Amino acid sequence: MSLTLYQHPLASFCHKVLIALYENGTAFESHLVDLGDPDARAGFCELWPLGKMPVLHDHARGRTVPETTVVIEYLQQHYPGARPLLPHDQDECLDVRLWDRFFDLYVQAPVQKIVIDRIRPPASRDPHGVAEARATLATAYDMLEPRLGERRWACGEDFSLADCAAAPALFYAGIVAPFPPGHTHLAAYFERLVARPSVQRTLAEARPYFSMFPFVDAMPERFLRGGAP
Ligand SMILES: N[C@@H](CCC(=O)N[C@@H](CS)C(=O)NCC(=O)O)C(=O)O
């Protein structure tokens, strides 16, 4: 097996790459990284000293590839499947990259801020930073609502890199900050995402670990239970 993905099934950025792999049926070996284990963390940091998951290692080409967006572009270049996740047209590609950045930076990042704050000792919590993160999420939801009224997927009719980023970002965002009731297009897009087989498979693999999620108390029963979305 040429490709090894260093990942953890609960981690949202790992979901982004898993969805891309499953969309194209790309063969890979999974190496579960427990960053709570000091030896496992030290070993993983030898691959990528920043210690951020996932990281792809390609044995055939002798390359270690960190950063989810780069990993997915790498897969498309060197292990293309039937379903390209970046368009060939360069202008369309810019749009896909923009919305990929949007979901990573303005949905996933605020969610991480809110989640990490919950597990900090009370004295080191950051209420101001959490309020800023919640405001960013609210703006992101407002930006997505009209856009998703006009498109099936984040950038049009084709499922893309941007949707790989959107699925885990909105999955965890919707738990820590539920979509406002009037955001029907956003809610409908989320349902399309979770109905996608690649996303269902990723969530099914995460399910045994959901009890470790700091906001598990707010997770909808249907995700805890599994089965049809
Ligand atoms: N920009 C990175 C973000 C990766 C990231 O934040 N991964 C999280 C898991 S969802 C992580 O490894 N966190 C561990 C830590 O910060 O110690 C990417 O796109 O790969």
Side-chain angles (χ1 to χ4, degrees), residues 78-170:
H78 298 290
Y79 297 86
R83 204 165 268 155
L85 296 170
L86 288 114
H88 296 298
D89 179 275
Q90 285 306 308
D91 282 332
E92 287 177 24
C93 208
L94 284 182
D95 206 32
V96 166
R97 288 200 182 95
L98 169 65
W99 289 91
D100 166 71
R101 300 293 70 234
F102 176 91
F103 285 110
D104 278 12
L105 298 174
Y106 306 115
V107 182
Q108 289 255 39
V111 169
Q112 282 182 329
K113 173 74 188 170
I114 295 165
V115 170
I116 288 167
D117 200 74
R118 192 177 242 208
I119 53 178
R120 281 183 172 168
S124 40
R125 290 204 179 131
D126 173 16
H128 182 71
V130 167
E132 278 182 345
R134 288 194 175 279
T136 301
L137 273 183
T139 303
Y141 290 171
D142 287 348
M143 288 173 69
L144 286 167
E145 178 58 17
R147 181 175 178 83
L148 295 170
E150 295 166 0
R151 289 166 184 81
R152 178 160 179 76
W153 300 111
C155 294
E157 284 308 299
D158 294 324
F159 189 91
S160 72
L161 163 69
D163 302 293
C164 296
L170 292 175

Side-chain angles (χ1 to χ4, degrees), residues 10 16-17 21 43 50 60 64 68 73 81 107 110 122 126 129 152 163 179 184 189 191-192 207 214 216 221:
L10 186 61
K16 178 176 159 184
V17 169
L21 288 161
L50 289 167
T64 297
T68 50
E73 292 215 26
V107 182
D126 173 16
R152 178 160 179 76
D163 302 293
F179 309 142
T184 54
Y189 170 63
E191 292 307 316
R192 290 195 288 280
R207 190 159 298 117
V216 66
E221 179 59 30

Side-chain angles (χ1 to χ4, degrees), residues 8 10-17 35 41 44 48 50-55 66-71 101 104-105 108 112 116:
H8 191 284
L10 186 61
S12 51
F13 277 103
C14 299
H15 290 190
K16 178 176 159 184
V17 169
L35 288 175
R41 178 179 278 275
F44 180 64
W48 183 231
L50 289 167
K52 298 285 183 191
M53 293 186 283
V55 167
E67 289 295 318
T68 50
T69 302
V70 182
V71 170
R101 300 293 70 234
D104 278 12
L105 298 174
Q108 289 255 39
Q112 282 182 329
I116 288 167

